[in-house]
């Protein structure tokens, strides 16, 4: 009986305490899933370019394959992805 009371008291506020973890994990999954179409899908890349980046769109002949689309979009995707990767690497290093 004492253990049951302790266990119940221990679990109080766990939902509130887990909100930062759930939010961070959700944002990570969303960022990971959205990075692939942002780099390699032409329709998504053109939409993102029109609304956020506004760089010059290459000729249609230069966007025929998903690799060519990736070559164009990597110009604006590399800095944030690289910085986020380096930031996470530094956090992992500081945790060790």
């Amino acid at each position: 009986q004492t253990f049951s009371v302790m266990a119940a008291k221990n679990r109080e506020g766990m939902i509130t305490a887990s909100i930062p973890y759930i939010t961070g994990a959700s944002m990570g999954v969303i960022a990971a899933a959205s990075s692939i179409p942002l780099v390699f899908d032409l329709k998504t890349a053109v939409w993102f370019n029109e609304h956020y980046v506004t760089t010059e769109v290459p000729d249609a002949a230069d966007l025929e394959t998903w690799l060519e689309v990736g070559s164009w979009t990597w110009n604006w995707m590399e800095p944030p992805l690289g910085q986020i990767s380096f930031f996470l690497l530094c956090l992992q290093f500081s945790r060790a």
Side-chain angles (χ1 to χ4, degrees):
Q1 181 177 353
T2 303
F3 178 75
S4 299
V5 172
M6 289 173 56
K9 189 68 173 172
N10 187 30
R11 287 185 174 77
E12 286 181 6
M14 283 297 277
I15 293 174
T16 305
S18 66
I19 288 174
Y21 167 76
I22 293 169
T23 303
S26 300
M27 289 175 60
V29 168
I30 290 168
S34 64
S35 68
I36 294 172
L38 281 171
V39 174
F40 296 111
D41 181 58
L42 181 60
K43 290 180 183 179
T44 308
V46 168
W47 177 86
F48 190 79
N49 183 49
E50 288 175 3
H51 290 87
Y52 298 103
V53 182
T54 65
T55 63
E56 187 174 319
V57 178
D59 296 330
D62 293 332
L63 298 174
E64 291 177 349
T65 67
W66 60 274
L67 291 173
E68 292 173 328
V69 173
S71 177
W72 166 54
T73 57
W74 195 247
N75 290 324
W76 73 69
M77 289 300 289
E78 183 180 18
L81 291 177
Q83 178 56 41
I84 290 168
S85 297
F86 183 71
F87 178 74
L88 291 173
L89 177 68
C90 290
L91 287 178
Q92 290 173 345
F93 178 73
S94 67
R95 188 175 171 192

